[in-house]
Amino acid sequence: QSLHLDLYGIGVCDQTGLVMAAALKENSTLQSLQLDLDDPSMGDQTGAAMAEAFKENSTLRSLHLDLRSTGVGDQTGVAMAAALKENSTLQSLHLDLRWTGVGH
């Protein structure tokens, strides 16, 4: 049975994002996740925590992560790259970092 969570179109601040990242780190059932975290107040602290969660998560097969227009920067970009290098279960990934501080 495939379990999917779609949180598209919500804004998530750092406090909520950190709680979500902690939950994803411990997740053992969710296989597909769509997150749209377009809140300018969300920064690298949450971005790095999300990356750490994706690195350790072994059940997600599909991830759609939209960080457009958030306050994330290079710290998040580097953390995401490292996490994806370590994650061996993701089969489908959409990562949108447009209009952020990544690479600037």
Side-chain angles (χ1 to χ4, degrees), residues 36-88:
D36 178 6
L37 307 177
D38 64 350
D39 190 320
S41 69
M42 191 191 98
D44 280 325
Q45 184 179 13
T46 296
M50 287 283 183
E52 184 66 23
F54 299 138
K55 182 171 96 175
E56 294 189 20
N57 185 290
S58 62
T59 59
L60 279 179
R61 303 288 183 260
S62 175
L63 174 63
H64 179 109
L65 182 60
D66 188 340
L67 297 175
R68 275 182 295 178
S69 302
T70 63
V72 300
D74 287 337
Q75 180 183 350
T76 296
V78 169
M80 286 289 176
L84 295 173
K85 186 176 178 181
E86 295 292 320
N87 184 298
S88 62

Side-chain angles (χ1 to χ4, degrees), residues 17-28 53 57:
L18 291 170
V19 171
M20 290 173 70
L24 285 170
K25 207 173 186 179
E26 301 299 321
N27 166 62
S28 62
N57 185 290

Side-chain angles (χ1 to χ4, degrees), residues 7-18:
L7 296 176
Y8 197 80
I10 64 167
V12 173
C13 64
D14 268 331
Q15 184 177 6
T16 304
L18 291 170

